[in-house]
Amino acid sequence: MKNLPQKVRSRKLNSRVDLTAMVSVSFLLIIFFMVVGELSKPKIMDLSLPDNEWTGTGNYSCYKGVENRIITIMLDENDEIIMHKSIFDYPEIAPKKIEFGSNGIRKELKKIQTSILNYSASMGKPNRGAIVIVKPSKKSNFKNLVDILDEIAIAGIDTYSIVNDFSLEEEKLLASN
């Protein structure tokens, strides 16, 4: 017999793939998207407004039957706050200057909020707290507006509005200070 050429058998190589780099990149991508997702969430404060039951009374717009729940805070230059309770023509608490901080506006807002909540509960309408109207003047700064919104949130007042509409009497009061 003739020597037949023998078949050359190829040697099978180990087909193992190293996935270490792929796993590392995958974990980095997962971490990246988790961080981006967390940082892209908006950091906002909830704004609760009263129902649409507003009526006009003269130069003022006030909520039906709840004039005793309204607190008006006017912001002026040099970190000054002027506060009064109820509508300006018939204030329950006369307009007065008050300071920022825990012994100033925060203490006053908490005291008024507690008294309004107690009164509302005694009238059979629980959880009806104060309604704050914030009126920043053209001379006030944005920091004061943010500070007063923080104080309102700390005092536990849910219903507030930011208005830049001043009556003539309020403008005179700000100008005299």
Side-chain angles (χ1 to χ4, degrees), residues 46-138:
D46 289 334
L47 175 65
S48 301
L49 297 173
D51 298 333
N52 279 339
E53 296 180 25
W54 290 82
T55 60
T57 58
N59 292 333
Y60 300 98
S61 292
C62 59
Y63 200 65
K64 282 189 210 172
V66 293
E67 291 84 7
N68 61 343
R69 291 174 48 201
I70 296 175
I71 303 168
T72 303
I73 298 173
M74 295 180 286
L75 303 175
D76 204 8
E77 64 183 336
N78 300 326
D79 299 338
E80 290 182 357
I81 303 172
I82 300 173
M83 183 191 92
H84 62 86
K85 188 166 181 279
S86 200
I87 50 180
F88 192 79
D89 289 339
Y90 308 102
E92 202 171 298
I93 296 176
K96 63 180 177 180
K97 279 188 181 181
I98 197 160
E99 299 291 322
F100 278 103
S102 60
N103 289 328
I105 189 72
R106 185 181 310 164
K107 183 178 179 182
E108 200 69 30
L109 286 174
K110 283 182 178 181
K111 183 175 81 173
I112 293 171
Q113 172 74 342
T114 303
S115 68
I116 290 173
L117 283 172
N118 290 340
Y119 177 76
S120 296
S122 69
M123 298 303 287
K125 296 180 180 180
N127 301 327
R128 297 193 132 217
I131 300 170
V132 177
I133 300 172
V134 179
K135 294 185 175 187
S137 71
K138 292 179 182 175

Side-chain angles (χ1 to χ4, degrees), residues 1-5:
M1 256 187 131
K2 279 184 166 181
N3 281 343
L4 291 173

